[in-house]
Amino acid sequence: MKELLQGNEAIARGAYEAGIQVATGYPGTPSSEILKTIALKFNDSIYAEWSTNEKVAMDAAAGAAYSGKRTLVTTKQVGMNVMSDSLLYTVYTGAEAGLVIVTADDPGFFSTQNEQDNRWYGKLAKIPILEPQDSQEAKDFVVKGIELSEEFDTPVLVRTTMRTSHSKSVVELGERDNVDKSLDKFPRNQRKYVMTAQWAEKRHPIVEERLDEMREYATDSPLNFIDWGKKDIGIITSAVNYTYAKDVFPEASFLKLGMTYPLSEKLIKEFADEVERVLVIEELDPFLQETIQAMGIEVTGKEIFPKCGELLPDDIFEYIEGTDFEPQREIPQPRDQGEDDLPERSPVLCPGCPHRSSFHILAEMDIPVAGDIGCYNLGCLPPFNAQHTMGCMGASIGVLHGMSLGDLDEPAVATIGDSTFFHSGMPPLANMMHNHGDGTAIIMDNRTTAMTGHQDHPGITQTLGGEETEKIDIEEVVRAMGVEKVEVVDAFNVDEVREALKECNEYDGPAVLITEGECVQITSEKAQEAYEVNPEECIACGKCLDLGCPSIVKTDEEYKDTGRFKAGIDPVLCVGSICDVCRQVCPTGAIKAPNETEGE
Amino acid sequence: MKDLNMLVTGVGGQGTILASDIIAEVGMRAGYDVKKSNVLGLAVRGGSVRSHVRWDPESVSAPMSSKGTVNYLISFEKLEAARNLSYLKQDGEVLVNNQEIPPVSVSAGDKAYPDINEIKKMTEKVARETYYFDGLATAEDLGSSRVLNVVILGAFSNFIDVDEKVWIDVISESVPPKFQELNKKAFQKGKKLVEGVDVE
């Protein structure tokens, strides 16, 4: 049977067919749909959970795989940095059943703070990397990954990019492999599973031997194939880049690598010897190129292609222009239509977003803000410009602590979401308490992991599998850490947020402000009737427009005293009384709830 | 059967992703190999959305079309039609739902939303024909702005030689059972919005 599947859905299907029994991960674009699909479609055969962070997910996966469960771990590319400490010990231990890690990378910066190329993690860890070109391979490579993992007793890395994870293509479905390697008793095999120096030392040579065996395996593996065409150009490529290269060089010879680490020198030499010139087409770093060059094979790659961004067919056409590598089809004429002059549509906080009031106040107070990863990162953009650092998950509170060591002449704050606080925000708060730090951490509790598509976390009463669970109360957590100044406010009450933040800033020592307000995309409250602006009372001061709410617009009605244009509200976008923030900031009371207008 | 490239554009929240999923599924059932790729950016509403769909009777390679190769640009919003014209093939065709969703830079008064005549001038330079229609009014007449995407699919179905039953089947399977009848109506109404086109 054939189905049209997104890459991430295909990976979930692959997990099912591979006989995977446990799947863990932390949400992150472009990887999040894998566990979501597993929970939705394969809940009966696979246990899936959102773990508190990627390291915890990896540890849990290790424990499950040591207990004989075939296991999958998912992460976005930067989550691998969090996971890596745990990944690295599993490289030495291996497991009792297959263990596959999926990393979804993000060339092109669609939703990430960097473009790190996670193939280096495979090389660093000395584990095989499989890179699918489409959904069919995404599914098949998970199955193959489990097979390899068990054959060589190693974790296997499956690497996708945004394009493979978020593209759809046709997949031929298979059956589930129901082999069950589950153990009744946990293996008492300390020499394999306790990586103290004396036992780890014995495992390292095994890792090296295994790598040599896999290099041998790569020579004849169907994961890598040669597609002979004209022999003037031979292209070595992998992943979705293969499909791009095929569009530009339909007649060339291809060595398509499904397994991009370790590489077989024999296979690559066999290919290179047959063609006149070798072109390596890969996104980001010269990962394949450097290894192939080290084999003494002459290739062209990053001399013409950039190390930044995606390498789409349009880009390949552009960069080969004027080189020895002529495209093998007519270059479609990309015609600049003057699109660059059009107004951009930058992302904004949704109408009714609980974060809006906080950024309004932070902008008003003009104090430095250490930011974190989540929708609230949009606070760095106009009209707020109220976030001044942002690096990675959980960085905000640690950076705030460092700012307080900088003896600034102004109070500083950190902004962090509820899910991010559980992910990696707790250790830096503990650090601040222990080391007598100063500053205010604003925990923006919108009761979900909003940015990545509303996943659960320990502050929520339901798990990914739909089970009820006790929520961990953030206020109790911070009080247990010894924070004495804790304020909990309604995120939609502007005065309450302002007053509480002022108090926190004046407090000598670490303070925590928890702003509670459900994400408007998941709130159980129904969108209420839109608010209205009474043009008679509007003085066109622009205070409501400074909230950056997509539903507030400038009308063409002039306020005579200043010649500025009055405000209006888009009735389709406004969510009315569940937000109310614009009504509170209007100095003349011109913004009204519908019942107020009726009363007049 | 020949290969066809389509680009569906609009603004987050308009239902473009489901529409492009349906076009891809229809292609597969009509016997094509298909691929589809979305560019969503941040998972927040209100951003530009671009979905490539490619049909090929043999096999599709890259999941997105190169610039200058799109046969049909199907835009849910006027500004987004203008923004994606460089993907259009010379003599490709453009369908534009006449909706205007101002970005925040426009609603805050910093930039101007391009005038319809300006947009028309831009599309006329490349497109063989541009079809403008008011899909939102049609959807609202049916009682729900949420069927806008199916109204637009109805309009687009005029251009493609695929049995109507395939469209109806895929649409019915893509929406909750209680909205199936409404969506069937939306498809038929949409179909009438665009007439007298060349079918491929």
Side-chain angles (χ1 to χ4, degrees):
Chain A
M1 205 181 96
K2 280 185 178 179
E3 254 189 67
L4 189 58
L5 295 179
Q6 189 205 52
N8 284 343
E9 293 170 337
I11 289 171
R13 176 75 203 186
Y16 170 78
E17 292 181 12
I20 280 169
Q21 292 154 300
V22 174
T24 63
Y26 184 81
T29 313
S31 70
S32 311
E33 296 85 0
I34 303 170
L35 290 192
K36 180 182 158 192
T37 307
I38 289 178
L40 208 65
K41 288 192 178 168
F42 309 115
N43 210 10
D44 292 342
S45 31
I46 305 175
Y47 167 83
E49 72 167 37
W50 289 122
S51 309
T52 47
N53 66 35
E54 295 84 353
K55 176 178 163 50
V56 176
M58 186 70 226
D59 291 327
Y66 293 168
S67 305
K69 301 285 186 196
R70 286 182 174 170
T71 303
L72 178 80
V73 196
T74 72
T75 180
K76 73 176 290 172
Q77 111 269 40
V78 286
M80 187 61 109
N81 303 330
V82 179
M83 182 192 287
S84 60
D85 206 6
S86 298
L87 170 69
L88 270 285
Y89 72 72
T90 66
V91 173
Y92 275 37
T93 63
E96 301 295 310
L99 174 57
V100 167
I101 300 104
V102 177
T103 167
D105 289 11
D106 192 13
F109 287 103
F110 292 96
S111 52
T112 314
Q113 67 267 29
N114 73 26
E115 276 189 315
Q116 73 185 47
D117 187 333
N118 273 6
R119 292 177 297 176
W120 297 113
Y121 269 111
K123 192 168 185 175
L124 170 79
K126 308 185 182 213
I127 56 174
I129 309 172
L130 309 184
E131 295 193 71
Q133 59 159 316
D134 59 10
S135 298
Q136 180 71 55
E137 285 191 353
K139 179 193 75 96
D140 293 345
F141 284 11
V142 174
V143 177
K144 199 75 196 165
I146 286 291
E147 207 181 293
L148 273 176
S149 174
E150 290 178 356
E151 186 180 340
F152 293 99
D153 192 17
T154 175
V156 172
L157 187 61
V158 173
R159 178 199 184 237
T160 70
T161 58
M162 184 285 269
R163 290 290 172 181
T164 25
S165 274
H166 282 175
S167 293
K168 280 191 165 185
S169 56
V170 182
V171 177
E172 182 74 47
L173 306 184
E175 298 294 321
R176 179 166 169 90
D177 175 0
N178 277 316
V179 170
D180 188 1
K181 300 170 123 347
S182 302
L183 305 171
D184 290 332
K185 296 263 187 266
F186 191 83
R188 276 24 175 216
N189 190 351
Q190 287 148 300
R191 284 164 193 278
K192 189 163 188 279
Y193 294 121
V194 181
M195 286 304 98
T196 61
Q198 86 260 23
W199 288 326
E201 193 184 14
K202 303 275 186 320
R203 295 293 303 175
H204 187 186
I206 296 173
V207 172
E208 299 299 337
E209 280 162 30
R210 187 174 78 196
L211 202 54
D212 286 339
E213 285 166 27
M214 287 190 290
R215 210 167 267 128
E216 197 67 30
Y217 168 88
T219 310
D220 303 311
S221 168
L223 286 164
N224 306 319
F225 63 82
I226 293 175
D227 183 4
W228 291 116
K230 284 189 185 168
K231 296 198 172 168
D232 54 338
I233 300 177
I235 296 172
I236 302 179
T237 183
S238 65
V240 74
N241 296 288
Y242 171 66
T243 72
Y244 303 163
K246 278 277 218 193
D247 264 4
V248 179
F249 300 100
E251 291 164 4
S253 290
F254 281 88
L255 169 55
K256 194 273 189 188
L257 298 169
M259 181 159 144
T260 50
Y261 185 81
L263 295 182
S264 157
E265 190 167 330
K266 199 174 154 210
L267 177 68
I268 290 168
K269 282 207 162 133
E270 180 190 314
F271 178 75
D273 285 347
E274 286 283 317
V275 295
E276 278 174 40
R277 287 167 299 155
V278 179
L279 186 63
V280 177
I281 297 185
E282 59 186 325
E283 268 163 359
L284 302 179
D285 295 337
F287 180 82
L288 299 173
Q289 184 179 356
E290 283 180 2
T291 311
I292 295 167
Q293 280 172 333
M295 295 169 182
I297 298 166
E298 202 181 312
V299 301
T300 306
K302 293 297 163 183
E303 294 78 5
I304 55 175
F305 298 120
K307 291 177 190 160
C308 306
E310 291 188 285
L311 194 55
L312 303 179
D314 279 328
D315 303 311
I316 299 176
F317 280 126
E318 185 186 332
Y319 290 107
I320 58 174
E321 208 187 323
T323 70
D324 295 348
F325 299 93
E326 290 290 313
Q328 293 168 337
R329 53 174 280 206
E330 204 178 312
I331 304 177
Q333 277 313 306
R335 291 169 301 272
D336 176 19
Q337 303 299 333
E339 300 106 314
D340 292 349
D341 301 334
L342 297 169
E344 268 180 47
R345 217 177 268 285
S346 49
V348 283
L349 295 175
C350 303
C353 175
H355 302 326
R356 180 165 280 110
S357 55
S358 299
F359 286 110
H360 169 68
I361 291 159
L362 288 167
E364 184 183 277
M365 289 183 173
D366 187 25
I367 51 177
V369 179
D372 223 300
I373 303 267
C375 295
Y376 43 95
N377 190 32
L378 295 169
C380 71
L381 297 176
F384 308 114
N385 304 308
Q387 194 203 79
H388 310 97
T389 73
M390 196 288 282
C392 71
M393 287 290 288
S396 60
I397 299 177
V399 170
L400 170 69
H401 177 58
M403 285 157 82
S404 77
L405 302 176
D407 293 327
L408 303 170
D409 202 16
E410 53 184 345
V413 308
T415 50
I416 184 167
D418 41 346
S419 189
T420 309
F421 179 69
F422 286 112
H423 176 281
S424 47
M426 286 161 60
L429 185 59
N431 178 65
M432 245 180 124
M433 294 310 298
H434 178 68
N435 291 306
H436 303 293
D438 191 16
T440 303
I442 305 175
I443 302 174
M444 300 178 142
D445 183 5
N446 64 354
R447 312 275 159 78
T448 187
T449 317
M451 182 90 146
T452 47
H454 305 104
Q455 293 82 5
D456 60 275
H457 63 67
I460 288 169
T461 56
Q462 206 179 37
T463 67
L464 172 62
E467 275 181 321
E468 288 297 307
T469 182
E470 281 296 317
K471 75 166 201 169
I472 297 176
D473 188 278
I474 295 175
E475 183 185 355
E476 284 177 23
V477 169
V478 301
R479 285 198 190 278
M481 286 188 185
V483 184
E484 282 174 8
K485 182 67 184 167
V486 183
E487 295 287 330
V488 183
V489 296
D490 173 2
F492 294 108
N493 187 324
V494 180
D495 285 341
E496 212 178 288
V497 178
R498 185 186 290 111
E499 280 315 304
L501 182 55
K502 242 187 226 166
E503 275 185 37
C504 288
N505 285 341
E506 282 159 14
Y507 183 79
D508 186 17
V512 169
L513 169 62
I514 302 170
T515 58
E516 293 182 336
E518 244 182 329
C519 171
V520 68
Q521 301 289 352
I522 55 152
T523 179
S524 47
E525 285 181 81
K526 275 214 172 99
Q528 298 296 307
E529 224 179 302
Y531 278 19
E532 287 166 16
V533 179
N534 178 2
E536 303 294 309
E537 293 172 78
C538 178
I539 56 165
C541 64
K543 286 229 158 63
C544 57
L545 283 162
D546 285 345
L547 291 170
C549 177
S551 64
I552 302 178
V553 297
K554 234 180 223 184
T555 66
D556 47 18
E557 190 177 332
E558 240 176 73
Y559 178 61
K560 291 215 172 58
D561 291 10
T562 56
R564 295 172 61 172
F565 293 100
K566 295 182 181 181
I569 291 178
D570 181 327
V572 179
L573 296 175
C574 175
V575 297
S577 60
I578 61 173
C579 171
D580 193 60
V581 169
C582 62
R583 194 189 60 79
Q584 296 171 52
V585 304
C586 176
T588 66
I591 297 180
K592 296 180 193 300
N595 53 357
E596 286 180 279
T597 19
E598 277 159 28
E600 283 173 7
Chain B
M1 277 166 85
K2 55 173 255 188
D3 59 309
L4 290 174
N5 294 331
M6 286 140 288
L7 180 58
V8 183
T9 64
V11 177
Q14 277 192 303
T16 53
I17 302 288
L18 181 62
S20 58
D21 280 344
I22 290 170
I23 296 173
E25 185 76 32
V26 164
M28 184 176 85
R29 296 206 194 170
Y32 292 87
D33 183 35
V34 302
K35 279 188 182 171
K36 194 205 116 140
S37 177
N38 295 332
V39 171
L40 282 167
L42 297 171
V44 182
R45 287 189 171 192
S48 299
V49 182
R50 181 186 289 158
S51 297
H52 289 278
V53 187
R54 303 186 69 188
W55 293 7
D56 194 303
E58 281 160 25
S59 108
V60 180
S61 193
M64 82 292 297
S65 303
S66 298
K67 290 186 176 174
T69 68
V70 163
N71 301 78
Y72 299 104
L73 171 60
I74 304 153
S75 189
F76 281 47
E77 204 270 350
K78 289 188 293 185
L79 175 58
E80 296 311 307
R83 199 191 301 286
N84 289 289
L85 282 171
S86 63
Y87 283 95
L88 200 68
K89 190 177 173 148
Q90 190 72 49
D91 288 335
E93 296 186 277
V94 185
L95 285 82
V96 184
N97 171 42
N98 257 332
Q99 210 178 326
E100 184 169 317
I101 303 177
V104 169
S105 58
V106 170
S107 54
D110 301 333
K111 283 189 176 159
Y113 192 96
D115 180 72
I116 182 66
N117 290 320
E118 205 179 310
I119 293 175
K120 281 187 172 161
K121 230 190 271 167
M122 285 175 76
T123 57
E124 273 164 16
K125 269 203 289 182
V126 262
R128 176 166 60 198
E129 192 79 60
T130 304
Y131 301 86
Y132 296 90
F133 52 84
D134 194 341
L136 188 60
T138 308
E140 280 169 351
D141 282 349
L142 289 163
S144 170
S145 59
R146 297 192 62 178
V147 296
L148 170 68
N149 51 9
V150 174
V151 169
I152 292 174
L153 288 176
F156 173 58
S157 70
N158 290 303
F159 293 80
I160 304 284
D161 186 20
V162 169
D163 192 0
E164 185 179 305
K165 189 178 174 303
V166 179
W167 285 99
I168 298 288
D169 284 352
V170 175
I171 290 166
S172 298
E173 290 164 33
S174 309
V175 301
K178 62 175 178 176
F179 295 119
Q180 280 176 3
E181 282 312 308
L182 176 64
N183 277 283
K184 280 182 198 170
K185 275 187 207 157
F187 183 80
Q188 296 302 345
K189 287 267 183 190
K191 225 177 147 174
K192 295 204 178 74
L193 287 176
V194 177
E195 276 167 348
V197 301
D198 296 333
V199 179
E200 301 228 30

